[in-house]
Amino acid sequence: MSAGVVTRLSTLDRFLPVWILAAMLLGLGAGHVIPGLGAAIDAVQVDGISLPIALGLLIMMYPVLAKVRYDRLDTVTRDRRLLLPSLLLNWVIGPALMFALAWLLLPDLPAYRTGLIIVGLARCIAMVIIWNDLACGDREAAAVLVAVNSVFQVIAFGALGWFYLSVLPGWLGLPQADLAVSGWAIARSVLIFLGIPLLAGYLSRRLGERARGRDWYEARFLPRVGPLALYGLLFTIVVLFALQGAQITGRPLDVARIALPLLAYFALMWTGSFALGRGLGLSYERTTTLAFTAAGNNFELAIAVAIATFGVTSAQALAGVVGPLIEVPALVALVYAALGARRLFSPHVSGSDRVRQA
Protein backbone atom coordinates (compact mmCIF):
# COMPACT_ATOMS: atom_id res chain seq x y z
CA MET A 1 0.00 0.00 0.00
CA SER A 2 1.35 3.41 -0.94
CA ALA A 3 2.28 5.96 1.69
CA GLY A 4 -0.22 8.37 0.13
CA VAL A 5 -3.11 6.06 0.91
CA VAL A 6 -1.96 5.60 4.50
CA THR A 7 -1.60 9.31 5.18
CA ARG A 8 -5.17 9.93 3.99
CA LEU A 9 -6.53 7.68 6.72
CA SER A 10 -7.36 9.11 10.12
CA THR A 11 -5.11 8.23 13.05
CA LEU A 12 -7.77 5.84 14.33
CA ASP A 13 -8.02 4.06 10.96
CA ARG A 14 -4.27 4.05 10.35
CA PHE A 15 -3.56 2.02 13.48
CA LEU A 16 -6.68 -0.14 13.18
CA PRO A 17 -4.78 -3.48 13.33
CA VAL A 18 -3.18 -2.37 16.62
CA TRP A 19 -6.53 -1.43 18.18
CA ILE A 20 -8.17 -4.65 17.01
CA LEU A 21 -5.32 -6.83 18.27
CA ALA A 22 -5.47 -5.03 21.61
CA ALA A 23 -9.25 -5.56 21.79
CA MET A 24 -8.87 -9.27 21.01
CA LEU A 25 -6.18 -9.70 23.66
CA LEU A 26 -8.16 -7.66 26.19
CA GLY A 27 -11.24 -9.80 25.65
CA LEU A 28 -9.32 -13.07 25.79
CA GLY A 29 -7.42 -11.95 28.88
CA ALA A 30 -10.50 -10.71 30.69
CA GLY A 31 -12.42 -13.88 29.93
CA HIS A 32 -9.53 -16.00 31.18
CA VAL A 33 -8.54 -13.98 34.26
CA ILE A 34 -11.92 -12.85 35.64
CA PRO A 35 -13.93 -15.86 36.85
CA GLY A 36 -17.50 -15.90 35.61
CA LEU A 37 -17.13 -12.85 33.34
CA GLY A 38 -18.25 -14.69 30.23
CA ALA A 39 -21.25 -16.17 32.01
CA ALA A 40 -22.18 -12.76 33.43
CA ILE A 41 -22.02 -11.11 30.00
CA ASP A 42 -23.96 -13.94 28.38
CA ALA A 43 -26.65 -13.70 31.05
CA VAL A 44 -27.51 -10.14 29.99
CA GLN A 45 -29.83 -11.06 27.16
CA VAL A 46 -33.41 -10.73 26.00
CA ASP A 47 -35.10 -13.57 24.12
CA GLY A 48 -31.76 -15.23 23.43
CA ILE A 49 -30.02 -12.08 22.14
CA SER A 50 -26.94 -10.88 24.02
CA LEU A 51 -27.53 -7.22 24.85
CA PRO A 52 -23.81 -6.26 25.05
CA ILE A 53 -23.16 -7.75 21.60
CA ALA A 54 -26.31 -6.18 20.19
CA LEU A 55 -25.32 -2.79 21.64
CA GLY A 56 -21.83 -3.02 20.12
CA LEU A 57 -23.15 -4.00 16.69
CA LEU A 58 -25.77 -1.25 16.66
CA ILE A 59 -23.23 1.41 17.64
CA MET A 60 -20.82 0.01 15.06
CA MET A 61 -23.27 0.08 12.16
CA TYR A 62 -25.17 3.32 12.79
CA PRO A 63 -22.49 5.88 11.75
CA VAL A 64 -21.76 4.12 8.46
CA LEU A 65 -25.44 3.83 7.58
CA ALA A 66 -25.91 7.49 8.55
CA LYS A 67 -23.32 8.33 5.86
CA VAL A 68 -25.25 6.59 3.07
CA ARG A 69 -26.75 8.86 0.42
CA TYR A 70 -30.16 7.21 0.23
CA ASP A 71 -31.14 9.35 -2.75
CA ARG A 72 -28.49 7.51 -4.79
CA LEU A 73 -29.61 3.93 -4.08
CA ASP A 74 -31.43 3.68 -7.41
CA THR A 75 -28.09 3.91 -9.25
CA VAL A 76 -27.03 0.74 -7.44
CA THR A 77 -30.23 -1.24 -7.98
CA ARG A 78 -29.99 -0.59 -11.72
CA ASP A 79 -26.43 -1.91 -11.93
CA ARG A 80 -26.88 -5.57 -12.90
CA ARG A 81 -23.12 -5.99 -13.26
CA LEU A 82 -22.98 -5.57 -9.49
CA LEU A 83 -26.21 -7.16 -8.23
CA LEU A 84 -26.19 -10.40 -10.22
CA PRO A 85 -22.53 -11.31 -9.47
CA SER A 86 -23.16 -10.49 -5.80
CA LEU A 87 -26.11 -12.90 -5.64
CA LEU A 88 -24.08 -15.61 -7.38
CA LEU A 89 -21.07 -15.15 -5.08
CA ASN A 90 -23.10 -15.00 -1.87
CA TRP A 91 -25.69 -17.68 -2.39
CA VAL A 92 -24.07 -20.17 -4.77
CA ILE A 93 -20.28 -19.92 -4.69
CA GLY A 94 -19.77 -18.92 -1.03
CA PRO A 95 -21.73 -21.77 0.62
CA ALA A 96 -20.36 -24.30 -1.89
CA LEU A 97 -16.78 -23.17 -1.28
CA MET A 98 -17.13 -23.42 2.52
CA PHE A 99 -18.71 -26.87 2.15
CA ALA A 100 -15.80 -28.03 0.00
CA LEU A 101 -13.12 -26.56 2.30
CA ALA A 102 -14.77 -27.97 5.43
CA TRP A 103 -14.84 -31.50 3.97
CA LEU A 104 -11.37 -31.19 2.47
CA LEU A 105 -9.59 -29.86 5.58
CA LEU A 106 -11.73 -31.32 8.38
CA PRO A 107 -12.64 -34.81 7.12
CA ASP A 108 -12.12 -36.33 10.59
CA LEU A 109 -13.91 -33.62 12.62
CA PRO A 110 -17.61 -33.78 11.70
CA ALA A 111 -18.86 -31.39 14.41
CA TYR A 112 -16.42 -28.60 13.48
CA ARG A 113 -17.16 -29.28 9.83
CA THR A 114 -20.88 -28.80 10.42
CA GLY A 115 -20.20 -25.56 12.32
CA LEU A 116 -18.16 -24.18 9.42
CA ILE A 117 -20.83 -25.10 6.87
CA ILE A 118 -23.34 -23.14 8.96
CA VAL A 119 -20.91 -20.20 8.94
CA GLY A 120 -20.73 -20.40 5.14
CA LEU A 121 -24.52 -20.17 4.90
CA ALA A 122 -24.75 -17.04 7.08
CA ARG A 123 -23.99 -14.20 4.68
CA CYS A 124 -22.67 -11.00 6.19
CA ILE A 125 -25.04 -8.18 7.17
CA ALA A 126 -23.05 -6.39 9.87
CA MET A 127 -19.27 -5.99 10.03
CA VAL A 128 -18.91 -5.96 6.23
CA ILE A 129 -20.17 -2.37 6.27
CA ILE A 130 -17.20 -1.39 8.43
CA TRP A 131 -14.60 -3.15 6.26
CA ASN A 132 -16.14 -1.70 3.10
CA ASP A 133 -16.07 1.81 4.52
CA LEU A 134 -12.46 1.52 5.71
CA ALA A 135 -11.44 0.37 2.22
CA CYS A 136 -13.27 3.36 0.64
CA GLY A 137 -15.85 1.15 -1.03
CA ASP A 138 -19.23 2.34 -2.28
CA ARG A 139 -21.42 2.97 0.77
CA GLU A 140 -24.67 3.06 -1.17
CA ALA A 141 -23.82 -0.20 -2.96
CA ALA A 142 -22.92 -1.83 0.36
CA ALA A 143 -26.26 -0.78 1.86
CA VAL A 144 -28.17 -2.28 -1.07
CA LEU A 145 -26.19 -5.55 -1.15
CA VAL A 146 -26.51 -5.99 2.61
CA ALA A 147 -30.27 -5.44 2.35
CA VAL A 148 -30.50 -7.99 -0.48
CA ASN A 149 -28.45 -10.48 1.57
CA SER A 150 -30.79 -9.94 4.50
CA VAL A 151 -33.88 -10.78 2.46
CA PHE A 152 -32.25 -13.87 0.95
CA GLN A 153 -31.02 -14.90 4.40
CA VAL A 154 -34.54 -15.03 5.79
CA ILE A 155 -35.82 -16.94 2.76
CA ALA A 156 -32.93 -19.28 1.95
CA PHE A 157 -30.93 -20.04 5.10
CA GLY A 158 -33.05 -22.96 6.32
CA ALA A 159 -33.36 -24.53 2.87
CA LEU A 160 -29.64 -24.21 2.17
CA GLY A 161 -28.83 -25.72 5.58
CA TRP A 162 -30.99 -28.72 4.76
CA PHE A 163 -29.34 -29.05 1.33
CA TYR A 164 -25.69 -28.77 2.42
CA LEU A 165 -25.99 -30.81 5.61
CA SER A 166 -28.44 -33.51 4.57
CA VAL A 167 -29.09 -33.69 0.83
CA LEU A 168 -25.72 -32.99 -0.81
CA PRO A 169 -23.69 -35.27 1.52
CA GLY A 170 -26.18 -38.05 0.76
CA TRP A 171 -25.71 -37.55 -2.98
CA LEU A 172 -21.94 -37.71 -2.52
CA GLY A 173 -22.06 -40.73 -0.22
CA LEU A 174 -20.89 -38.71 2.80
CA PRO A 175 -22.22 -38.71 6.39
CA GLN A 176 -25.25 -36.48 6.85
CA ALA A 177 -26.20 -33.99 9.56
CA ASP A 178 -29.43 -32.24 10.47
CA LEU A 179 -30.04 -28.53 11.05
CA ALA A 180 -33.15 -27.32 12.82
CA VAL A 181 -33.42 -23.56 12.50
CA SER A 182 -36.32 -21.21 13.13
CA GLY A 183 -37.20 -18.79 10.35
CA TRP A 184 -38.21 -16.27 13.01
CA ALA A 185 -34.75 -16.51 14.63
CA ILE A 186 -33.15 -15.55 11.31
CA ALA A 187 -35.64 -12.76 10.62
CA ARG A 188 -35.18 -11.41 14.15
CA SER A 189 -31.40 -11.29 13.68
CA VAL A 190 -31.81 -9.35 10.44
CA LEU A 191 -34.38 -6.94 11.90
CA ILE A 192 -32.26 -6.13 14.95
CA PHE A 193 -28.73 -6.03 13.54
CA LEU A 194 -29.64 -4.40 10.22
CA GLY A 195 -33.15 -2.94 10.52
CA ILE A 196 -32.58 -0.77 13.60
CA PRO A 197 -29.32 0.93 12.49
CA LEU A 198 -30.61 1.23 8.92
CA LEU A 199 -33.74 3.05 10.09
CA ALA A 200 -31.70 5.23 12.46
CA GLY A 201 -29.22 6.11 9.71
CA TYR A 202 -31.98 6.96 7.24
CA LEU A 203 -33.86 9.14 9.72
CA SER A 204 -30.64 10.90 10.77
CA ARG A 205 -29.87 11.95 7.21
CA ARG A 206 -33.45 12.78 6.31
CA LEU A 207 -34.18 14.85 9.42
CA GLY A 208 -30.68 16.32 9.71
CA GLU A 209 -30.61 17.58 6.12
CA ARG A 210 -34.14 18.91 6.43
CA ALA A 211 -33.35 20.83 9.62
CA ARG A 212 -29.79 22.08 8.99
CA GLY A 213 -28.96 21.31 5.34
CA ARG A 214 -26.66 18.80 3.63
CA ASP A 215 -23.49 20.84 4.12
CA TRP A 216 -23.96 20.93 7.90
CA TYR A 217 -24.90 17.25 8.01
CA GLU A 218 -21.84 16.04 6.08
CA ALA A 219 -19.30 18.58 7.35
CA ARG A 220 -20.33 18.84 11.01
CA PHE A 221 -22.57 15.95 12.08
CA LEU A 222 -20.95 12.98 10.33
CA PRO A 223 -17.39 13.72 11.56
CA ARG A 224 -18.72 13.75 15.13
CA VAL A 225 -20.51 10.39 14.97
CA GLY A 226 -18.07 8.70 12.57
CA PRO A 227 -15.57 7.42 15.19
CA LEU A 228 -18.40 5.62 17.00
CA ALA A 229 -18.28 2.92 14.30
CA LEU A 230 -14.79 1.79 15.27
CA TYR A 231 -15.50 2.20 18.99
CA GLY A 232 -18.50 -0.07 18.55
CA LEU A 233 -16.39 -2.56 16.58
CA LEU A 234 -13.70 -2.67 19.27
CA PHE A 235 -16.30 -3.04 22.03
CA THR A 236 -17.96 -5.91 20.15
CA ILE A 237 -14.63 -7.68 19.71
CA VAL A 238 -13.83 -7.37 23.42
CA VAL A 239 -17.22 -8.82 24.37
CA LEU A 240 -17.06 -11.67 21.84
CA PHE A 241 -13.61 -12.75 22.95
CA ALA A 242 -14.40 -12.35 26.65
CA LEU A 243 -17.41 -14.64 26.17
CA GLN A 244 -15.39 -17.37 24.49
CA GLY A 245 -11.91 -16.81 25.94
CA ALA A 246 -11.87 -20.08 27.90
CA GLN A 247 -12.87 -22.19 24.90
CA ILE A 248 -10.40 -20.49 22.57
CA THR A 249 -7.41 -20.65 24.93
CA GLY A 250 -8.34 -24.13 26.16
CA ARG A 251 -8.40 -25.76 22.72
CA PRO A 252 -5.53 -24.21 20.72
CA LEU A 253 -5.09 -27.17 18.35
CA ASP A 254 -8.80 -27.24 17.56
CA VAL A 255 -8.74 -23.51 16.91
CA ALA A 256 -5.80 -23.97 14.52
CA ARG A 257 -7.64 -26.72 12.63
CA ILE A 258 -10.77 -24.59 12.30
CA ALA A 259 -8.71 -21.57 11.24
CA LEU A 260 -7.26 -23.26 8.13
CA PRO A 261 -10.49 -23.54 6.09
CA LEU A 262 -11.59 -20.10 7.30
CA LEU A 263 -8.36 -18.45 6.13
CA ALA A 264 -8.60 -20.25 2.79
CA TYR A 265 -12.22 -19.18 2.45
CA PHE A 266 -11.57 -15.49 3.10
CA ALA A 267 -8.58 -15.40 0.76
CA LEU A 268 -10.31 -17.23 -2.10
CA MET A 269 -13.65 -15.43 -1.85
CA TRP A 270 -12.19 -11.95 -1.55
CA THR A 271 -9.50 -12.36 -4.20
CA GLY A 272 -11.85 -14.08 -6.64
CA SER A 273 -14.58 -11.48 -6.13
CA PHE A 274 -12.16 -8.58 -6.46
CA ALA A 275 -10.77 -10.04 -9.70
CA LEU A 276 -14.31 -10.62 -10.99
CA GLY A 277 -15.32 -7.02 -10.26
CA ARG A 278 -12.30 -5.66 -12.07
CA GLY A 279 -12.88 -8.06 -14.97
CA LEU A 280 -16.47 -6.84 -15.28
CA GLY A 281 -15.24 -3.26 -15.51
CA LEU A 282 -16.67 -2.10 -12.18
CA SER A 283 -15.15 0.92 -10.48
CA TYR A 284 -12.72 0.45 -7.59
CA GLU A 285 -15.45 1.42 -5.13
CA ARG A 286 -17.96 -1.14 -6.38
CA THR A 287 -15.34 -3.84 -6.92
CA THR A 288 -14.28 -3.39 -3.29
CA THR A 289 -17.89 -3.57 -2.11
CA LEU A 290 -18.49 -6.72 -4.17
CA ALA A 291 -15.40 -8.37 -2.67
CA PHE A 292 -16.13 -7.56 0.98
CA THR A 293 -19.84 -8.42 0.84
CA ALA A 294 -18.91 -11.78 -0.72
CA ALA A 295 -16.09 -12.61 1.73
CA GLY A 296 -17.77 -11.63 5.00
CA ASN A 297 -20.05 -13.84 7.09
CA ASN A 298 -22.74 -13.24 9.70
CA PHE A 299 -21.06 -14.97 12.62
CA GLU A 300 -23.66 -13.68 15.07
CA LEU A 301 -26.35 -15.66 13.23
CA ALA A 302 -24.11 -18.70 12.72
CA ILE A 303 -23.26 -18.85 16.44
CA ALA A 304 -26.90 -18.38 17.44
CA VAL A 305 -28.06 -21.17 15.11
CA ALA A 306 -25.29 -23.54 16.26
CA ILE A 307 -26.09 -22.91 19.93
CA ALA A 308 -29.85 -23.32 19.40
CA THR A 309 -29.39 -26.55 17.44
CA PHE A 310 -26.38 -28.24 19.09
CA GLY A 311 -25.92 -26.48 22.45
CA VAL A 312 -23.80 -23.67 23.87
CA THR A 313 -20.79 -25.91 24.64
CA SER A 314 -20.95 -27.84 21.35
CA ALA A 315 -18.07 -28.14 18.90
CA GLN A 316 -20.36 -26.67 16.24
CA ALA A 317 -20.76 -23.52 18.35
CA LEU A 318 -16.99 -23.32 18.90
CA ALA A 319 -16.45 -23.39 15.13
CA GLY A 320 -18.71 -20.34 14.85
CA VAL A 321 -16.94 -18.59 17.72
CA VAL A 322 -13.54 -19.06 16.08
CA GLY A 323 -14.95 -17.24 13.06
CA PRO A 324 -14.51 -13.68 14.37
CA LEU A 325 -11.07 -14.65 15.73
CA ILE A 326 -9.98 -15.31 12.14
CA GLU A 327 -12.26 -12.92 10.26
CA VAL A 328 -11.27 -9.73 12.05
CA PRO A 329 -7.50 -9.78 11.36
CA ALA A 330 -8.01 -11.39 7.94
CA LEU A 331 -10.41 -8.73 6.69
CA VAL A 332 -8.36 -5.92 8.23
CA ALA A 333 -5.45 -7.21 6.13
CA LEU A 334 -7.74 -7.29 3.10
CA VAL A 335 -8.73 -3.65 3.73
CA TYR A 336 -5.08 -2.73 3.25
CA ALA A 337 -4.82 -5.06 0.25
CA ALA A 338 -7.79 -3.30 -1.36
CA LEU A 339 -6.33 0.16 -0.76
CA GLY A 340 -3.03 -1.01 -2.21
CA ALA A 341 -4.77 -2.39 -5.33
CA ARG A 342 -6.49 0.94 -5.94
CA ARG A 343 -3.78 1.99 -8.36
CA LEU A 344 -4.94 -0.76 -10.75
CA PHE A 345 -8.12 1.21 -11.48
CA SER A 346 -8.59 4.34 -13.51
CA PRO A 347 -8.78 7.38 -11.19
CA HIS A 348 -12.20 8.95 -10.90
CA VAL A 349 -14.39 10.50 -8.25
CA SER A 350 -17.53 8.87 -6.90
CA GLY A 351 -20.03 9.85 -4.24
CA SER A 352 -18.83 7.20 -1.84
CA ASP A 353 -15.11 7.79 -2.27
CA ARG A 354 -14.65 10.22 0.58
CA VAL A 355 -11.20 10.81 2.00
CA ARG A 356 -10.99 10.63 5.76
CA GLN A 357 -9.45 13.62 7.40
CA ALA A 358 -6.75 13.05 10.00
Side-chain angles (χ1 to χ4, degrees):
M1 182 173 56
S2 67
V5 171
V6 174
T7 57
R8 285 184 288 176
L9 295 174
S10 69
T11 301
L12 189 62
D13 291 350
R14 199 179 308 164
F15 294 100
L16 180 65
V18 176
W19 314 138
I20 286 180
L21 178 61
M24 292 167 64
L25 293 175
L26 178 61
L28 286 172
H32 187 71
V33 172
I34 304 175
L37 177 62
I41 295 174
D42 195 41
V44 185
Q45 57 179 260
V46 174
D47 197 18
I49 296 174
S50 169
L51 292 185
I53 292 178
L55 177 64
L57 289 172
L58 295 177
I59 294 174
M60 176 184 74
M61 293 180 65
Y62 164 70
V64 180
L65 290 171
K67 295 176 184 177
V68 170
R69 287 285 301 276
Y70 291 93
D71 56 341
R72 291 178 174 163
L73 294 184
D74 61 326
T75 65
V76 180
T77 57
R78 292 198 303 263
D79 190 350
R80 293 186 178 181
R81 290 185 307 165
L82 177 66
L83 284 177
L84 295 181
S86 179
L87 289 174
L88 177 66
L89 289 164
N90 273 287
W91 298 103
V92 178
I93 295 177
L97 176 62
M98 188 69 88
F99 176 87
L101 289 171
W103 274 99
L104 179 65
L105 298 176
L106 300 175
D108 57 328
L109 298 172
Y112 292 146
R113 185 174 63 235
T114 296
L116 285 182
I117 291 172
I118 294 172
V119 168
L121 300 177
R123 311 312 302 167
C124 196
I125 65 169
M127 286 189 180
V128 68
I129 294 178
I130 293 291
W131 311 132
N132 177 75
D133 203 52
L134 289 171
C136 297
D138 189 316
R139 288 179 185 137
E140 287 70 41
V144 169
L145 296 185
V146 163
V148 170
N149 274 348
S150 301
V151 173
F152 269 80
Q153 201 145 243
V154 174
I155 297 171
F157 187 94
L160 286 174
W162 169 73
F163 176 76
Y164 279 104
L165 292 174
S166 298
V167 177
L168 185 57
W171 290 352
L172 299 175
L174 302 170
Q176 297 167 281
D178 294 319
L179 178 64
V181 56
S182 162
W184 164 241
I186 300 169
R188 182 184 60 188
S189 172
V190 171
L191 288 172
I192 291 175
F193 296 127
L194 175 65
I196 292 175
L198 182 63
L199 178 63
Y202 172 78
L203 291 177
S204 293
R205 180 171 281 278
R206 185 72 179 269
L207 298 177
E209 289 187 355
R210 180 181 297 175
R212 305 291 293 273
R214 178 165 294 174
D215 289 342
W216 172 86
Y217 183 83
E218 296 192 347
R220 301 289 298 275
F221 179 76
L222 290 182
R224 290 178 182 173
V225 301
L228 291 176
L230 288 181
Y231 299 151
L233 172 63
L234 296 176
F235 174 79
T236 303
I237 291 170
V238 171
V239 173
L240 277 173
F241 285 84
L243 277 170
Q244 303 296 337
Q247 288 201 70
I248 292 171
T249 57
R251 305 186 195 177
L253 293 180
D254 288 356
V255 170
R257 288 290 303 274
I258 297 168
L260 287 177
L262 284 170
L263 285 171
Y265 174 84
F266 292 133
L268 291 172
M269 281 298 293
W270 189 90
T271 304
S273 302
F274 198 89
L276 176 62
R278 188 169 186 273
L280 291 172
L282 297 177
S283 66
Y284 165 81
E285 294 79 15
R286 293 198 171 178
T287 294
T288 297
T289 299
L290 179 68
F292 279 101
T293 51
N297 292 90
N298 185 356
F299 286 105
E300 299 78 30
L301 175 61
I303 293 170
V305 169
I307 289 174
T309 305
F310 302 102
V312 68
T313 60
S314 66
Q316 291 88 344
L318 177 60
V321 169
V322 172
L325 175 70
I326 307 304
E327 181 191 43
V328 170
L331 292 191
V332 167
L334 291 174
V335 166
Y336 283 84
L339 292 170
R342 202 173 186 178
R343 65 182 183 277
L344 302 176
F345 294 78
S346 300
H348 65 285
V349 177
S350 75
S352 63
D353 184 16
R354 303 181 181 91
V355 175
R356 297 173 178 81
Q357 301 298 320

